[in-house]
Amino acid sequence: MKFHPVLWVYSLIQWFLDKLFSPTPPSPKAALGRPRIAIIGAGLTGVSSASHCVGHGFDVTIFEAGDEKSIGGIWSRVNNTSGLQIHSIMYRFHPSIRWADGYPDRQQIVSQIIHLWKRYGLQERTRFETRVTSVQQDRSGRWIINNDLSFGYFDGVVAAVGTCGDPKIPHLPNQETFKGEIFHSSKLDGKTAAGKKVLIIGGGASAVEALEFVVHTNAASTSVLARSDKWIIPRNALVDMLLALNIFGQETIFSWIPETLLKKLFYRSLEDLAPTSGGLFTETPMVNSDIFRQIRNHNAEWLRGDIVAFSENGIRFRQRAKGVPKGGPGREIEVKGDMVIMATGYQRPSLSFLPSEVFEEPYHPPKWYLQVFPPRNVSICCNNCTYVNAIGTVGNYHIGIYTRLLLMFLVDPLARPQEYWMKRWIDMTSFLKSKAPTGAFDFFTYSELIYWFVFCIAINPFRWKWAPFVFFGIGSVLPKEIVRREDQIRNGMGMTKRHHE
């Protein structure tokens, strides 16, 4: 293999991150303590959360609806041609991850998840083919999964079901008359588009996945049929990080600066494809540098409009001018094609297994404390499954931070937030973002997320001792000892501890 100095430095950085911040895997026969955590889902977030728990000495059980091949969640089900659109430095879902390059493919991502699962001895703590349908508390506040006492009792719950479930496959008018092939964008392994005219229905992240397939299999031409314009940002780590630095997590009076720079330097002659109504900080942008190159090379075209119906040889499409809203007037054309790829995304997994009281109005997801803790019960952490739109990444350091916040809340009564103050934080954040074109929690940036974490720790002096543990996963012994001494003082004053403290 040819020596690459940049990748060598990147590997060295990852080695140091692993040595400095990875919790020590438990020995095979280690007796892990309480609190005991139920992890729902064996995807990237579930495996990462579980490894943080056991690495810090807390017992877990992972409940996964599928079999062992389901480890990795959505990454276990997408095409082999799929890969990261953002740089892997922004996708470090655990300190021990060792990426081989900047933009790993699906196989490398899944292999890292499985390696993590095995490294922390989670094989014996995973129950496959166990779909969670209910999570209820007994009178002492312990959680029971599926009303089945054989699983034992749990002190906390991490819902890690993600945001991508089963493929969303709509049935369009006259679809059965089409003479060509129709596939969902997640079901393209073993297929080929060589020499074919490909029509991609949809303009979001799934369209990127479809475009990757088209590029790999040398299609004759590609037409992307999109209902709405979405911001497209370059596949560049520096640009992505700079955009994520908007700590306000919404459109500001300065948003025109990055928007103008993108139009002039990235879109250039294709500025017509940039959105006119929605700002950059209102919706998750597409991250891709190949779309514009394909369009400029006349290998692809991007059409804005509405699907009317299938025809025998393609799709009848009502093409709209820039600025005309969905369903508005336009010119009907027939876009011919041999293959249609439904880049229509995925169904969002349900959180209905959680107790009904956590969904009370107006504090429903994503309007929860730090977006993942329902005010009615802080022993639940819905890690990576309540967000709507963001600039940054959902596979990064915050998975461990959220998990360690949950552990802190469970272990330390004085650090545990009360329902009243969690709701006041939600109200405050809603007020601060009341001018945002989206809901206060419908869009955020990664720097805003970090601000939330810092505020959470700084606002309560009893959490200060936990700061190194929460942010970096180090120093858990000292705060635990302080909590033990605090408990002794509280017990001496006639106060009682919860069952797991």
Short mmCIF file of all heavy atoms in Angstrom, two decimals, residues 435-460:
data_model
loop_
_atom_site.label_atom_id
_atom_site.label_comp_id
_atom_site.label_asym_id
_atom_site.label_seq_id
_atom_site.Cartn_x
_atom_site.Cartn_y
_atom_site.Cartn_z
N LYS A 435 -38.07 33.22 16.73
CA LYS A 435 -38.07 33.85 15.42
C LYS A 435 -37.58 32.91 14.32
O LYS A 435 -37.57 33.29 13.14
CB LYS A 435 -37.19 35.10 15.43
CG LYS A 435 -37.62 36.16 16.46
CD LYS A 435 -39.00 36.69 16.16
CE LYS A 435 -39.38 37.79 17.16
NZ LYS A 435 -40.76 38.31 16.92
N ALA A 436 -37.18 31.71 14.69
CA ALA A 436 -36.69 30.77 13.69
C ALA A 436 -37.83 30.34 12.77
O ALA A 436 -38.96 30.14 13.21
CB ALA A 436 -36.10 29.54 14.37
N PRO A 437 -37.56 30.21 11.46
CA PRO A 437 -38.61 29.78 10.53
C PRO A 437 -39.10 28.36 10.79
O PRO A 437 -40.19 27.99 10.38
CB PRO A 437 -37.94 29.90 9.16
CG PRO A 437 -36.48 29.97 9.43
CD PRO A 437 -36.30 30.52 10.79
N THR A 438 -38.28 27.56 11.49
CA THR A 438 -38.70 26.22 11.88
C THR A 438 -39.04 26.24 13.37
O THR A 438 -38.87 27.25 14.04
CB THR A 438 -37.56 25.21 11.66
OG1 THR A 438 -36.45 25.57 12.49
CG2 THR A 438 -37.13 25.20 10.21
N GLY A 439 -39.54 25.13 13.89
CA GLY A 439 -39.73 25.02 15.33
C GLY A 439 -38.38 25.08 16.03
O GLY A 439 -37.33 24.78 15.44
N ALA A 440 -38.39 25.45 17.31
CA ALA A 440 -37.14 25.63 18.05
C ALA A 440 -36.27 24.38 18.05
O ALA A 440 -35.04 24.45 18.03
CB ALA A 440 -37.45 26.05 19.48
N PHE A 441 -36.89 23.20 18.06
CA PHE A 441 -36.15 21.95 18.12
C PHE A 441 -36.19 21.17 16.80
O PHE A 441 -35.76 20.02 16.75
CB PHE A 441 -36.69 21.08 19.26
CG PHE A 441 -36.45 21.68 20.62
CD1 PHE A 441 -37.39 22.53 21.20
CD2 PHE A 441 -35.28 21.43 21.31
CE1 PHE A 441 -37.18 23.09 22.44
CE2 PHE A 441 -35.06 21.99 22.55
CZ PHE A 441 -36.01 22.82 23.13
N ASP A 442 -36.71 21.79 15.75
CA ASP A 442 -36.80 21.12 14.46
C ASP A 442 -35.51 21.25 13.65
O ASP A 442 -35.36 20.61 12.62
CB ASP A 442 -37.96 21.68 13.64
CG ASP A 442 -39.32 21.32 14.25
OD1 ASP A 442 -39.34 20.40 15.10
OD2 ASP A 442 -40.32 21.95 13.90
N PHE A 443 -34.61 22.11 14.12
CA PHE A 443 -33.32 22.27 13.46
C PHE A 443 -32.30 22.71 14.50
O PHE A 443 -32.61 23.54 15.36
CB PHE A 443 -33.39 23.31 12.33
CG PHE A 443 -32.06 23.51 11.63
CD1 PHE A 443 -31.72 22.72 10.54
CD2 PHE A 443 -31.14 24.44 12.09
CE1 PHE A 443 -30.49 22.87 9.92
CE2 PHE A 443 -29.91 24.60 11.48
CZ PHE A 443 -29.58 23.81 10.39
N PHE A 444 -31.09 22.15 14.42
CA PHE A 444 -30.01 22.60 15.29
C PHE A 444 -28.68 22.38 14.57
O PHE A 444 -28.61 21.64 13.58
CB PHE A 444 -30.03 21.88 16.65
CG PHE A 444 -29.73 20.40 16.57
CD1 PHE A 444 -28.43 19.93 16.70
CD2 PHE A 444 -30.74 19.48 16.36
CE1 PHE A 444 -28.15 18.58 16.62
CE2 PHE A 444 -30.47 18.12 16.27
CZ PHE A 444 -29.16 17.67 16.41
N THR A 445 -27.67 23.05 15.06
CA THR A 445 -26.32 22.82 14.57
C THR A 445 -25.51 22.13 15.66
O THR A 445 -25.91 22.11 16.83
CB THR A 445 -25.62 24.14 14.19
OG1 THR A 445 -25.52 24.95 15.38
CG2 THR A 445 -26.42 24.90 13.13
N TYR A 446 -24.35 21.59 15.27
CA TYR A 446 -23.57 20.85 16.25
C TYR A 446 -23.03 21.75 17.35
O TYR A 446 -22.93 21.35 18.50
CB TYR A 446 -22.43 20.09 15.56
CG TYR A 446 -22.11 18.79 16.25
CD1 TYR A 446 -22.92 17.68 16.04
CD2 TYR A 446 -21.05 18.66 17.11
CE1 TYR A 446 -22.67 16.47 16.68
CE2 TYR A 446 -20.77 17.46 17.76
CZ TYR A 446 -21.59 16.38 17.54
OH TYR A 446 -21.35 15.18 18.19
N SER A 447 -22.68 22.99 16.99
CA SER A 447 -22.18 23.91 18.02
C SER A 447 -23.29 24.28 19.00
O SER A 447 -23.04 24.47 20.20
CB SER A 447 -21.59 25.16 17.40
OG SER A 447 -22.53 25.81 16.57
N GLU A 448 -24.54 24.37 18.52
CA GLU A 448 -25.65 24.63 19.43
C GLU A 448 -25.82 23.45 20.39
O GLU A 448 -26.08 23.64 21.58
CB GLU A 448 -26.95 24.85 18.65
CG GLU A 448 -28.15 25.14 19.55
CD GLU A 448 -29.47 25.20 18.80
OE1 GLU A 448 -29.52 24.74 17.63
OE2 GLU A 448 -30.45 25.68 19.38
N LEU A 449 -25.65 22.24 19.87
CA LEU A 449 -25.75 21.05 20.71
C LEU A 449 -24.70 21.07 21.81
O LEU A 449 -24.99 20.77 22.98
CB LEU A 449 -25.60 19.80 19.83
CG LEU A 449 -25.83 18.44 20.49
CD1 LEU A 449 -27.28 18.29 20.94
CD2 LEU A 449 -25.46 17.31 19.54
N ILE A 450 -23.47 21.44 21.47
CA ILE A 450 -22.41 21.53 22.47
C ILE A 450 -22.75 22.60 23.51
O ILE A 450 -22.51 22.42 24.72
CB ILE A 450 -21.06 21.84 21.81
CG1 ILE A 450 -20.68 20.71 20.83
CG2 ILE A 450 -19.97 22.03 22.86
CD1 ILE A 450 -20.57 19.35 21.47
N TYR A 451 -23.33 23.70 23.04
CA TYR A 451 -23.77 24.75 23.99
C TYR A 451 -24.79 24.18 24.96
O TYR A 451 -24.73 24.47 26.16
CB TYR A 451 -24.35 25.93 23.23
CG TYR A 451 -25.35 26.74 24.04
CD1 TYR A 451 -24.94 27.53 25.11
CD2 TYR A 451 -26.71 26.68 23.75
CE1 TYR A 451 -25.86 28.24 25.87
CE2 TYR A 451 -27.63 27.39 24.50
CZ TYR A 451 -27.22 28.16 25.55
OH TYR A 451 -28.12 28.85 26.30
N TRP A 452 -25.73 23.38 24.49
CA TRP A 452 -26.72 22.77 25.38
C TRP A 452 -26.02 21.96 26.47
O TRP A 452 -26.38 22.03 27.65
CB TRP A 452 -27.65 21.85 24.59
CG TRP A 452 -28.59 22.53 23.66
CD1 TRP A 452 -28.82 23.87 23.54
CD2 TRP A 452 -29.45 21.89 22.70
NE1 TRP A 452 -29.76 24.11 22.58
CE2 TRP A 452 -30.17 22.92 22.05
CE3 TRP A 452 -29.67 20.57 22.33
CZ2 TRP A 452 -31.09 22.65 21.04
CZ3 TRP A 452 -30.60 20.30 21.33
CH2 TRP A 452 -31.30 21.33 20.70
N PHE A 453 -25.03 21.16 26.07
CA PHE A 453 -24.32 20.32 27.04
C PHE A 453 -23.60 21.17 28.09
O PHE A 453 -23.66 20.88 29.29
CB PHE A 453 -23.31 19.42 26.31
CG PHE A 453 -23.92 18.40 25.40
CD1 PHE A 453 -23.26 17.98 24.25
CD2 PHE A 453 -25.16 17.84 25.68
CE1 PHE A 453 -23.81 17.02 23.42
CE2 PHE A 453 -25.73 16.89 24.84
CZ PHE A 453 -25.04 16.48 23.71
N VAL A 454 -22.89 22.19 27.63
CA VAL A 454 -22.14 23.05 28.54
C VAL A 454 -23.10 23.74 29.52
O VAL A 454 -22.83 23.82 30.72
CB VAL A 454 -21.31 24.09 27.75
CG1 VAL A 454 -20.68 25.11 28.70
CG2 VAL A 454 -20.24 23.39 26.93
N PHE A 455 -24.21 24.24 29.00
CA PHE A 455 -25.20 24.90 29.86
C PHE A 455 -25.73 23.93 30.90
O PHE A 455 -25.87 24.30 32.08
CB PHE A 455 -26.35 25.43 29.00
CG PHE A 455 -27.41 26.16 29.78
CD1 PHE A 455 -27.32 27.52 30.01
CD2 PHE A 455 -28.50 25.47 30.30
CE1 PHE A 455 -28.29 28.19 30.74
CE2 PHE A 455 -29.48 26.13 31.03
CZ PHE A 455 -29.37 27.49 31.25
N CYS A 456 -26.01 22.71 30.49
CA CYS A 456 -26.55 21.69 31.41
C CYS A 456 -25.62 21.47 32.59
O CYS A 456 -26.06 21.38 33.74
CB CYS A 456 -26.79 20.38 30.65
SG CYS A 456 -27.25 18.98 31.69
N ILE A 457 -24.31 21.39 32.32
CA ILE A 457 -23.34 21.15 33.39
C ILE A 457 -23.12 22.42 34.22
O ILE A 457 -23.09 22.39 35.45
CB ILE A 457 -22.00 20.65 32.81
CG1 ILE A 457 -22.19 19.29 32.12
CG2 ILE A 457 -20.94 20.56 33.91
CD1 ILE A 457 -22.64 18.18 33.04
N ALA A 458 -22.99 23.56 33.54
CA ALA A 458 -22.63 24.80 34.24
C ALA A 458 -23.73 25.30 35.15
O ALA A 458 -23.45 25.93 36.19
CB ALA A 458 -22.27 25.88 33.22
N ILE A 459 -25.00 25.05 34.84
CA ILE A 459 -26.11 25.63 35.58
C ILE A 459 -26.28 25.03 36.96
O ILE A 459 -26.88 25.64 37.85
CB ILE A 459 -27.43 25.47 34.77
CG1 ILE A 459 -28.50 26.43 35.29
CG2 ILE A 459 -27.90 24.04 34.79
CD1 ILE A 459 -28.20 27.88 35.05
N ASN A 460 -25.72 23.83 37.19
CA ASN A 460 -25.88 23.14 38.46
C ASN A 460 -24.50 22.83 39.06
O ASN A 460 -23.78 21.99 38.54
CB ASN A 460 -26.67 21.84 38.26
CG ASN A 460 -26.96 21.13 39.58
OD1 ASN A 460 -26.32 21.36 40.59
ND2 ASN A 460 -27.94 20.23 39.55
#
